[in-house]
Amino acid sequence: MAEAILEVRGLHKHYPLTRGVVFRKQVGAVRAVDGVDLDLVAGETLGIVGESGCGKSTLAKLLVQLERPTAGVIRYKGEDITKLSGRALKAVRRNIQMVFQDPYTSLNPRMTVGDIIGEPYEIHPEVAPRGSRRQKVQDLLHVVGLNPEYINRYPHQFSGGQRQRIGIARGLALQPEIIVADEPVSALDVSVQAQVINLLDKLQQDFSLSYVFIAHDLSIVRHISDRVGVMYLGRIVETGKDAEIYDHPTHPYTQALLSAVPVPDPTAREHRERVLLSGDVPSPANIPSGCRFRTRCWKARERCATEVPLLAVPAVFRGEESPAAHDSACHFAEAKRVVPAEGA
Ligand SMILES: Nc1ncnc2c1ncn2[C@@H]1O[C@H](COP(=O)(O)OP(=O)(O)OP(=O)(O)O)[C@@H](O)[C@H]1O
Ligand code: SF4
Ligand SMILES: [Mg+2]
């Protein structure tokens, strides 16, 4: 694999669980992110997928340094950025920007679009000196497909898709290298989702951006991701190239997620195998021992309760040229095509 622009190793974010009002006592921890390893290669899109509450947004906030990790490292171009402060932190933050999930709540309703998009320049005036800001913001509006004359309008005067374009323009203002997009299309109508994804695709090519693209649905990331990481209860449980994950998943959780993805081709739909997950996701304050997926896994055996499966190429596929030979944290990994090829 080409050299990573971002390398994450053993990343943890635990929130203390406390009880009592006057004498607050820590009674446990919510392990929102609990040992994430991932690499982001320059110019690629890494899709991160998982159910609600599995730690995706927490991971996003850690990557852009809005949150400090409990443990682990995030190396940006080889340098651990988790211990930085002051000017060094500010410089790194400029290069790793976030686009938020909900364009209805993430834009300040009392600020004009010009002020929203230009706000990052208050912290980084070196990118756009005061006299040039209006022009810069108008250029950004144009780049995201909005009329530059809308600069004095307010967020409520725009549709959901247009608001997300404003959020993207703000993310681009500081000319970052990496954009972490936390479910950027989940709050939008299906018809608008494709437009925003196409825009992100075009911006990636025009500005050589690297993306971490978060979604809760595998079908959304398929068209934009080069590689995909599947997250469960604070960890990546399977990761590989787009086609490896979609056509040759080896982790039971990924297989279950894929079996729920809508298949447009009726013949393929008929042949698709349904894998239903039992039970709910356990609380991240009470993660099962051994394999964290075992309480919902139809393949679980004794070993799964005692031995944590590591994220690596499973022994059965090691040394093979097969697309199944990608990282999967399961003791009993098996390749299984869940969604048949189109026309199958
Ligand atoms: N500041 C916090 N304090 C305590 N617990 C938190 C905090 N932020 C997140 N959590 C908990 O951490 C877990 C992961 O939350 P997170 O928002 O990262 O999940 P997510 O995968 O983004 O979910 P969703 O798909 O619903 O957006 C959840 O159980 C959540 O309640
Ligand atoms: S390690 Fe065991 S419980 Fe975990 S996914 Fe594999 S078979 Fe299921
Ligand atoms: Mg989230």
Side-chain angles (χ1 to χ4, degrees), residues 15 30 32 51-58 67 101 183 284:
Y15 295 106
V30 175
E51 288 166 287
S52 186
C54 74
K56 304 180 297 293
S57 296
T58 308
E67 291 267 17
Q101 170 170 4
E183 304 214 35

Side-chain angles (χ1 to χ4, degrees), residues 51-95:
E51 288 166 287
S52 186
C54 74
K56 304 180 297 293
S57 296
T58 308
L59 173 63
K61 286 183 216 150
L62 290 167
L63 295 179
V64 300
Q65 301 281 299
L66 278 176
E67 291 267 17
R68 291 280 183 166
T70 312
V73 295
I74 303 172
R75 278 191 285 271
Y76 165 67
K77 296 184 173 168
E79 183 188 16
D80 182 10
I81 58 173
T82 59
K83 309 277 185 316
L84 297 180
S85 58
R87 279 168 64 171
L89 177 62
K90 206 171 130 182
V92 167
R93 274 197 175 145
R94 191 194 138 180
N95 284 317

Side-chain angles (χ1 to χ4, degrees), residues 38-203:
L38 60 84
D39 288 325
L40 177 70
V41 174
E44 77 163 356
T45 298
L46 173 67
I48 300 284
V49 175
E51 288 166 287
S52 186
C54 74
K56 304 180 297 293
S57 296
T58 308
L59 173 63
K61 286 183 216 150
L62 290 167
L63 295 179
V64 300
Q65 301 281 299
L66 278 176
E67 291 267 17
R68 291 280 183 166
T70 312
V73 295
I74 303 172
R75 278 191 285 271
Y76 165 67
K77 296 184 173 168
E79 183 188 16
D80 182 10
I81 58 173
T82 59
K83 309 277 185 316
L84 297 180
S85 58
R87 279 168 64 171
L89 177 62
K90 206 171 130 182
V92 167
R93 274 197 175 145
R94 191 194 138 180
N95 284 317
I96 312 175
Q97 290 288 309
M98 184 147 163
V99 170
F100 294 90
Q101 170 170 4
D102 189 349
Y104 294 91
T105 56
S106 62
L107 305 181
N108 185 336
R110 283 179 293 279
M111 282 168 77
T112 65
V113 162
D115 288 339
I116 289 170
I117 299 174
E119 201 179 22
Y121 300 136
E122 298 294 330
I123 303 159
H124 291 271
E126 74 283 6
V127 183
R130 207 159 268 284
S132 70
R133 280 186 203 169
R134 196 176 167 82
Q135 186 57 52
K136 274 245 179 209
V137 169
Q138 287 188 317
D139 291 347
L140 283 164
L141 282 168
H142 175 73
V143 157
V144 297
L146 292 174
N147 187 339
E149 286 171 18
Y150 293 169
I151 189 164
N152 293 324
R153 294 194 180 183
Y154 289 87
H156 74 265
Q157 296 174 283
F158 294 88
S159 68
Q162 288 174 323
R163 284 188 214 206
Q164 195 52 294
R165 286 172 193 264
I166 295 165
I168 292 168
R170 182 176 57 186
L172 288 174
L174 298 175
Q175 299 158 12
E177 290 178 285
I178 298 170
I179 289 198
V180 179
D182 184 11
E183 304 214 35
V185 299
S186 303
L188 305 177
D189 290 345
V190 175
S191 57
V192 183
Q193 288 184 344
Q195 294 166 17
V196 173
I197 288 182
N198 289 343
L199 170 68
L200 286 168
D201 221 2
K202 181 176 181 315
L203 295 171

